[in-house]
Amino acid sequence: MESTFSSPAEAALQREAGPGGLLTSREDLDRVYELERISGFISDLGCLRVALQFPDKLLGDAGAVAARLEDITGSKMFILGDTAYGSCCVDVLGAEQAGAQALVHFGPACLSPPARPLPVAFVHGQRSVALELCAQAFVARNPDPTASVVLLSEPACAHALEALATLLRPRCSDLLVSRPALPLPGEGSLNSEPEPLERFGRHFPLAPGRRLEEYGAFYVGGSEANPDLDPDLSRLLLGWAPGQPFSSCCPDTGHTQDESARAGRLRARRHYLVERARDARVVGLLAGTLGVARHREALAHLRNLTRAAGKRSYVLAVGRPTPAKLANFPEVDVFVLLACPLGALAPQPSDGFFQPILTPCELEAACNPAWPPPGLAPHLTHYADLLPGSPFHVPLPPPDSELWDTPDVSLITGDLRPPTAWKPSGDPGSSALAPRPQLELIESSPAALFLSSRSWQGLQPCLGQTPVTGAVSGRRGIAIAYEDEGSN
């Protein structure tokens, strides 16, 4: 029963922790893991204990990297294995348990601010990029020299974007180069210049008066051997302006692909999930990774959002979502995963989920009547963009607003949705138990009504009501041919 609701403890011990032995030659170790920059980061902070976080696929180099950093800095290094939820988030809790004063994160990262203040340095790696092939692919995809284009890349190829832009600027008059939005210690304290636009975990140095929606995109990353969309590219395709071209390029071969069709499929899937959320009566809020800042505030915002829309919400802490875990909650109509931008869009391990899993942005579009129409609303992959203080935050209209009474028809069932009867959270009428005149209590929760209508409601002890009988042998064999069924 324990493994049904949470991952079993044995799974962490039996999981393959990546290939053994050194993955990178010792001659390339300093360059690939940027040990000179990391040693400067540690020395500037004066840290004596530093945590090193590696994903499973890089654990083969962890020992050599830690030993090399200890020799250079003289500080004590602690190697953190992969996190239980996702390797893209900073494991602040693991670093604190080791008494670390700073943390170095290796591999792909979501760049989300951690829930607790801790100096963090990121090392994405440096993947080789065929600059000439990528430049030729760019010119083939963008023959107009006056077109406005942004150069994007996966984190491991970001080091080559400036060199690629140097080859392209003689041919392209309006070229913008993005860079990862890496948090730096004390960033912004002594810099009086205005900060560039930050979107999708990247900085965009836009000229005054220019908007990101005016640019097309050229993405360097991915692999022809693995055509599936990674979460980072999905985030870009969903949030980019629909009217602008978007193409991707393999850094090894220069093969390009127009991503407009895949972006359209992602947006169509999003519209479907928004309709499912509008039809839902019970919403399950999945508490994913808890190491990202403002997750408690976001959880309270989603609960208030569902309450305002007349829906019942339940908070579930199940770790990494799997079909077996979520199948234990058949009364839930849709699930909303509260995680980092990459974790919320990561491909699920199986397609066997009985109910869809949404992002917080899709729940916001379904429950907030003041949210812009689908053609105008951006797809926000980070839940912090929905909270007060963000430029994308849209407050809920007051309870007496006519927006709550707007007729709405489900595009899935074709039924007319009744208007929402929003009652403030402090209203006594919002209680799950409502008194009857005969001093009886009735449960008005949709989940409780669903449970009462089920023919099987779980294992109940029924002490004293079941006669005691002796144990007997059951049927033997497999379902297709039990031993007592004969040969036919």
Side-chain angles (χ1 to χ4, degrees):
M1 183 64 69
E2 178 185 358
S3 61
T4 305
F5 290 92
S6 62
S7 300
E10 294 79 5
L13 301 177
Q14 298 173 358
R15 185 175 56 185
E16 293 291 336
L22 201 63
L23 304 177
T24 307
S25 62
R26 296 189 180 276
E27 294 77 12
D28 297 334
L29 207 63
D30 290 17
R31 177 186 59 84
V32 172
Y33 290 96
E34 304 179 34
L35 298 188
E36 182 179 356
R37 178 174 68 88
I38 297 304
S39 60
F41 164 79
I42 298 173
S43 300
D44 293 342
L45 294 176
C47 300
L48 301 179
R49 301 167 66 89
V50 181
L52 308 179
Q53 180 178 346
F54 291 86
D56 281 351
K57 62 181 181 180
L58 297 180
L59 281 178
D61 290 341
V65 171
R68 179 69 174 149
L69 287 176
E70 286 185 347
D71 294 338
I72 298 176
T73 63
S75 303
K76 181 65 176 178
M77 301 294 159
F78 296 86
I79 299 176
L80 305 179
D82 210 345
T83 60
Y85 186 82
S87 57
C88 63
C89 297
V90 175
D91 189 6
V92 181
L93 181 59
E96 289 184 348
Q97 291 176 345
Q101 300 167 312
L103 186 145
V104 182
H105 183 283
F106 297 91
C110 59
L111 300 180
S112 301
R116 297 168 184 168
L118 184 72
V120 181
F122 293 92
V123 179
H124 298 300
Q126 296 186 4
R127 181 180 176 184
S128 61
V129 178
L131 296 177
E132 293 292 341
L133 296 178
C134 293
Q136 297 174 7
F138 179 91
V139 174
R141 284 288 176 180
N142 302 276
D144 185 6
T146 62
S148 302
V149 186
V150 177
L151 283 181
L152 304 162
S153 73
E154 66 179 37
C157 298
H159 66 96
L161 285 188
E162 282 295 342
L164 179 61
T166 303
L167 298 177
L168 296 175
R169 283 197 175 98
R171 309 175 186 177
C172 185
S173 60
D174 192 3
L175 186 65
L176 190 67
V177 181
S178 66
R179 65 178 187 272
L182 298 175
L184 300 176
E187 183 180 9
S189 58
L190 301 177
N191 189 6
S192 60
E193 298 180 0
E195 295 183 358
L197 175 67
E198 182 176 344
R199 292 283 304 278
F200 314 112
R202 296 166 170 84
H203 282 149
F204 298 90
L206 292 171
R210 298 300 301 272
R211 300 169 60 247
L212 189 60
E213 290 75 13
E214 303 172 4
Y215 287 82
F218 186 81
Y219 180 85
V220 179
S223 173
E224 295 183 35
N226 185 18
D228 296 335
L229 282 175
D230 64 335
D232 184 56
L233 183 54
S234 300
R235 171 170 59 170
L236 291 168
L237 293 179
L238 280 171
W240 209 258
Q244 296 294 341
F246 197 112
S247 57
S248 63
C249 175
C250 178
D252 301 324
T253 63
H255 174 75
T256 60
Q257 180 177 353
D258 185 7
E259 300 290 350
S260 302
R262 291 206 282 192
R265 290 194 294 268
L266 288 175
R267 295 190 185 100
R269 174 66 178 175
R270 177 210 172 187
H271 297 333
Y272 167 76
L273 294 177
V274 170
E275 287 297 313
R276 287 292 301 268
R278 287 172 177 165
D279 289 339
R281 297 181 59 198
V282 181
V283 179
L285 303 178
L286 302 178
T289 176
L290 303 179
V292 181
R294 306 186 71 182
H295 65 273
R296 294 181 182 272
E297 186 179 349
L299 188 60
H301 172 75
L302 296 181
R303 297 185 65 180
N304 183 53
L305 189 67
T306 54
R307 185 188 303 112
K311 307 179 188 298
R312 182 77 60 175
S313 64
Y314 297 91
V315 180
L316 307 173
V318 296
R320 189 185 300 272
T322 62
K325 294 178 185 177
L326 301 188
N328 292 282
F329 310 99
E331 64 275 9
V332 176
D333 298 320
V334 294
F335 294 95
V336 179
L337 180 58
L338 190 68
C340 68
L342 300 186
L345 296 175
Q348 301 299 335
S350 173
D351 295 332
F353 291 98
F354 293 97
Q355 301 296 351
I357 300 179
L358 287 67
T359 62
C361 179
E362 292 154 357
L363 184 66
E364 182 84 25
C367 298
N368 190 351
W371 190 257
L376 302 177
H379 186 89
L380 308 175
T381 55
H382 193 7
Y383 58 73
D385 294 330
L386 304 173
L387 302 179
S390 168
F392 301 102
H393 172 67
V394 179
L396 285 171
D400 55 353
S401 174
E402 61 181 7
L403 293 176
W404 297 104
D405 300 330
T406 303
D408 191 17
V409 177
S410 172
L411 300 181
I412 297 178
T413 63
D415 299 334
L416 180 67
R417 298 190 184 102
T420 303
W422 179 19
K423 296 181 180 180
S425 58
D427 193 318
S430 63
S431 176
L433 295 178
R436 283 184 174 180
Q438 295 83 5
L439 299 180
E440 297 177 357
L441 295 177
I442 179 173
E443 176 64 56
S444 59
S445 169
L449 295 176
F450 179 87
L451 179 63
S452 63
S453 63
R454 292 177 58 180
S455 59
W456 186 80
Q457 300 180 1
L459 299 177
Q460 302 175 359
C462 299
L463 298 177
Q465 304 177 19
T466 305
V468 179
T469 59
V472 296
S473 300
R475 308 179 75 179
R476 299 173 60 88
I478 59 178
I480 195 174
Y482 289 104
E483 295 180 356
D484 59 348
E485 291 183 340
S487 59
N488 56 354

